[in-house]
Amino acid sequence: MGMKHYPAEFKADAVTLYRSKPGATIKSVAGDLGVNTETLRNWIRAADGRRSGAHSSQTAFVPAGGDAVEAELAAARKRIRELEEERDILRKAARYFGDGDALVNRCQFVEDHQRRHGVKRLCDILGLARSSFYYWRRTVAARAARQAAEAELAARIDKIHQDSDGTYGAPRITAELRDEGGPMVNHKRVARIMRTIGIEGVRLRRRHRTTLADPATAKAPDLIQRDFTAAAVNTKYVGDITYLPVNGAKPLYLATVIDLASRRLAGWAIADHMRAELVIDALAAAEQTRGSLEGAIMHTDHGSQYASRAFAEMCRSAGVRRSMGAVGSSADNAAAESFNAAFKRATLKGRKGWPDKRQARLDAFRWLTRYNTRRRHSRLGQRSPIAYEDDFQPTATTLAQAA
């Protein structure tokens, strides 16, 4: 914003500048000087000995002698040089302001050009307080150290994200960082850095229906009642079937048996069908993992596979008590549904399907194995299921002995 009151010397310099530039308009010179066009016009009129208007307070300009004119011309030339220099400085400074923090860019420009133009002049032209510049210069070392630490943390975050096959979000990456040691970091900082380097965890895809209830089969009671917790491992399990889409071919199907105490995938099976043998194979795998399933609850939906006589016989021979939620209610088997969703988004990563069945089986094998050994679970304090069992969880036998 221009001054309200201009000294006489400034007015004289302005008029002289206008006169020294043949072909220049009053508007262009006024713009260079930062004054109103009409104001400059009034000064010129006053210098020419004319009144600017009935209410003008300007006094008549008395032409000076030769020495005075030369002095005015010298002052005008000096002012022109200053304006040209300011223009050049601003043009150079514009290259610093393409992106990033504007204050930091101004400080960096002053730092790079202070020897030629001086700190005071550069700060005045850029509208920067000298105290801000000197503070910025004093903190260069500390700022560089913070930037280096941020870069190192970003590299660690990126590696953990890659090791998780691009599936981990901020909470699980934070847990990995804490286990690795080093300075403490919270998940908000991790999330910010992930946004900065352009990585994120995988997101949920819509679920495909695989539950086909058979109204003619006998139903088991609901022994879970949506309580997806357990005091000890090998006491309560949930199971479900999800499909593995294959491009240009029939899908594969995955059946799972999950321990509610540790969220461990105790057993699983993959086939190109949804017959009862699929869920029987998964339960047999869980029995092999645990050694015995005697007395455990196996909770499922009302799919025809789980309601079949063959599966019921398998449960009886293994000493497993069957449990079923309500028909058509995914909430009654939410733990298994959640597992399937995590599996799909981690392996498909937004794709519609696998290129072939072999790749689908390999990806499933790798993820399901890593799920137990490495994947951190929010309900387990960001520990893997096997690590949680090894460190904290008693077995049903241990609880019975303690009682």
Side-chain angles (χ1 to χ4, degrees):
M1 180 180 292
M3 297 182 290
K4 292 184 178 180
H5 303 287
Y6 296 87
E9 182 181 359
F10 182 91
K11 296 176 185 179
D13 288 345
V15 173
T16 304
L17 176 61
Y18 169 69
R19 290 171 173 169
S20 68
K21 299 178 69 176
T25 63
I26 295 177
K27 183 177 180 180
S28 65
V29 175
D32 290 340
L33 299 178
V35 301
N36 184 272
T37 302
E38 192 59 32
T39 299
L40 178 58
R41 182 175 285 110
N42 289 338
W43 294 347
I44 295 171
R45 288 172 178 169
D48 290 339
R50 299 193 301 269
R51 300 284 294 176
S52 62
H55 302 287
S56 175
S57 60
Q58 296 286 351
T59 59
F61 177 78
V62 179
D67 293 342
V69 171
E70 288 298 326
E72 289 181 2
L73 288 175
R77 294 189 188 98
K78 179 181 178 182
R79 180 58 180 163
I80 290 171
R81 287 194 299 270
E82 291 175 349
L83 291 172
E84 290 176 344
E85 186 180 50
E86 289 183 11
R87 179 197 61 194
D88 293 340
I89 289 172
L90 290 173
R91 283 177 178 174
K92 294 177 182 178
R95 302 170 189 169
Y96 283 67
F97 303 145
D99 53 19
D101 188 295
L103 177 61
V104 170
N105 291 338
R106 287 200 296 265
C107 290
Q108 188 63 57
F109 180 81
V110 174
E111 177 71 15
D112 295 344
H113 297 81
Q114 60 174 316
R115 290 187 177 180
R116 179 174 180 181
H117 302 289
V119 172
K120 182 179 184 303
R121 179 156 175 73
L122 290 173
C123 288
D124 289 343
I125 293 174
L126 298 179
L128 175 66
R130 278 181 286 170
S131 59
S132 298
F133 167 72
Y134 288 123
Y135 173 79
W136 175 87
R137 192 161 64 178
R138 284 197 308 272
T139 57
V140 166
R143 189 166 55 254
R146 287 196 302 269
Q147 291 172 348
E150 191 92 340
E152 180 183 358
L153 180 57
R156 293 172 63 194
I157 288 172
D158 186 56
K159 183 179 184 303
I160 292 171
H161 186 259
Q162 291 181 22
D163 290 345
S164 73
D165 293 335
T167 62
Y168 273 13
R172 288 190 174 93
I173 289 179
T174 303
E176 284 281 354
L177 290 170
R178 289 174 178 171
D179 278 1
E180 288 179 358
M184 289 295 293
V185 59
N186 61 42
H187 72 280
K188 292 183 179 179
R189 185 181 179 193
V190 172
R192 174 180 59 78
I193 294 176
M194 289 178 68
R195 287 193 299 270
T196 301
I197 62 179
I199 61 175
E200 61 180 2
V202 294
R203 299 185 181 275
L204 182 64
R205 287 178 57 86
R206 187 170 63 181
R207 183 177 182 271
H208 180 80
R209 185 186 179 199
T210 54
T211 301
L212 301 174
D214 185 354
T217 56
K219 304 300 186 291
D222 187 350
L223 304 179
I224 295 292
Q225 295 296 324
R226 300 188 181 181
D227 178 14
F228 300 108
T229 62
V233 300
N234 200 24
T235 58
K236 291 167 68 175
Y237 292 91
V238 293
D240 196 13
I241 300 174
T242 190
Y243 85 116
L244 282 59
V246 179
N247 297 333
K250 291 182 179 180
L252 297 175
Y253 296 92
L254 167 68
T256 55
V257 180
I258 304 167
D259 192 310
L260 287 179
S262 64
R263 291 304 197 271
R264 180 175 182 174
L265 181 62
W268 54 278
I270 295 178
D272 58 1
H273 62 79
M274 285 200 301
R275 296 190 296 272
E277 299 96 289
L278 176 65
V279 296
I280 290 173
D281 289 345
L283 187 61
E287 185 177 31
Q288 184 177 5
T289 297
R290 293 306 192 191
S292 173
L293 298 176
E294 184 71 34
I297 295 172
M298 179 63 184
H299 182 78
T300 66
D301 57 29
H302 279 264
S304 58
Q305 303 86 354
Y306 293 111
S308 66
R309 291 182 180 179
F311 183 73
E313 180 58 33
M314 173 65 183
C315 289
R316 280 193 295 270
S317 64
V320 172
R321 293 183 292 164
R322 295 164 66 212
S323 171
M324 289 184 177
V327 176
S329 175
S330 61
D332 285 351
N333 202 19
E337 299 274 359
S338 177
F339 176 90
N340 289 339
F343 166 74
K344 285 288 189 65
R345 64 176 179 261
T347 52
L348 283 173
K349 300 178 183 177
R351 298 174 298 176
K352 293 184 178 180
W354 279 273
D356 52 56
K357 292 183 178 181
R358 178 179 178 277
Q359 192 62 50
R361 287 180 181 273
L362 287 175
D363 286 353
F365 172 76
R366 183 172 185 270
W367 190 88
L368 295 172
T369 303
R370 285 164 59 94
Y371 170 86
N372 281 335
T373 59
R374 294 191 59 181
R375 188 178 186 275
R376 297 175 181 274
H377 203 295
S378 58
R379 289 181 175 270
L380 307 178
Q382 297 297 356
R383 286 181 281 272
S384 70
I386 288 181
Y388 184 75
E389 286 188 3
D390 291 344
D391 294 342
F392 297 99
Q393 272 298 310
T395 63
T397 303
T398 302
L399 290 179
Q401 292 174 349

